[in-house]
Amino acid sequence: MVLDIDGTISGRSNEISEPVKQAIQAVQAQGIQVALATGRMFRSAMRFHRCIGSQLPLLAYNGAWIQDPFTGEMHQHLPVAPALAQQLLDDLELPELIDRLGIHFYIGDRLYVRQITAITENYAQRSGIEPIAVGDLRSIVDKHPTKVLALSREVSLIEKLLSHLQQRYAASELYLTQSTINFLEATHPHANKGSAVRYLSEQILGLEAKNVMAVGDNFNDAQMLQYAGTSIAMGNAPTALQELADWVAPSVEEDGVAVAIEKFLL
């Protein structure tokens, strides 16, 4: 079983509820392994990995970073090409966007920003990460960022930018998605949760898609839901994602993952 974190096992509290935790432990006790696939940084996702007692590699940055927390082995790291990261900066750091948009670069599992704004502080508090202000992100663009994140309080701005960038860049250049209504994420074209779950299942565990159940709540979960033999969308997921799934669980605030586990696995 593969679970997303935010909006799936963790809601407003930024913690895993006791019913969800107990359901995950119950399914693990039956010999079913549980993995996490998240847009979060590896270091930000680790506390959730520890909380559920997962024994599997952690799929971070939407699958661009797959690492075994126990051995430190890096199974996969697919960074954004520096030239494309530079182009993204040109697209996102327009004068009319400077005060409306935050841009995050993730390099070596650390967060780099132009300057620390209120929106970055809110992000850092929830993720438990200390951002590093560098002034000009172009000074580090050659260090191969794992992910580029644009975030804004203006939902319509994120939607407009995503549509524009998806027309500007081919799918063979960048994987562009939304992990929340406020986050636009850009990664290597082969880095998405579907490819990562396939890699974990088939290359590491020797399983087939029919043996996999995946649960998610947003557009960056679409590919893993399409891959999994059993796909569950959360009740708080966008309608378009729910339509991809085999079944729709209650919302994250209603412990939907616990309900899904009880229905399909226990």
Side-chain angles (χ1 to χ4, degrees), residues 99 196 213:
D99 296 326
M213 174 172 149

Coordinates of all heavy atoms in Angstrom, one line a residue, residues 99 196 213:
D99 N 5.8 40.1 -6.1 CA 5.1 40.2 -4.7 C 4.0 39.3 -4.5 O 3.4 39.2 -3.5 CB 4.7 41.7 -4.5 CG 5.8 42.7 -4.5 OD1 6.9 42.3 -4.0 OD2 5.6 43.8 -5.0
A196 N 7.4 6.5 -9.7 CA 8.1 6.1 -8.5 C 7.5 4.8 -7.8 O 8.2 3.9 -7.4 CB 8.1 7.3 -7.5
M213 N -2.1 -1.0 -3.7 CA -3.2 -0.1 -3.4 C -2.6 1.3 -3.1 O -1.6 1.4 -2.4 CB -4.0 -0.6 -2.2 CG -5.1 0.4 -1.7 SD -6.1 -0.4 -0.5 CE -6.6 1.0 0.5

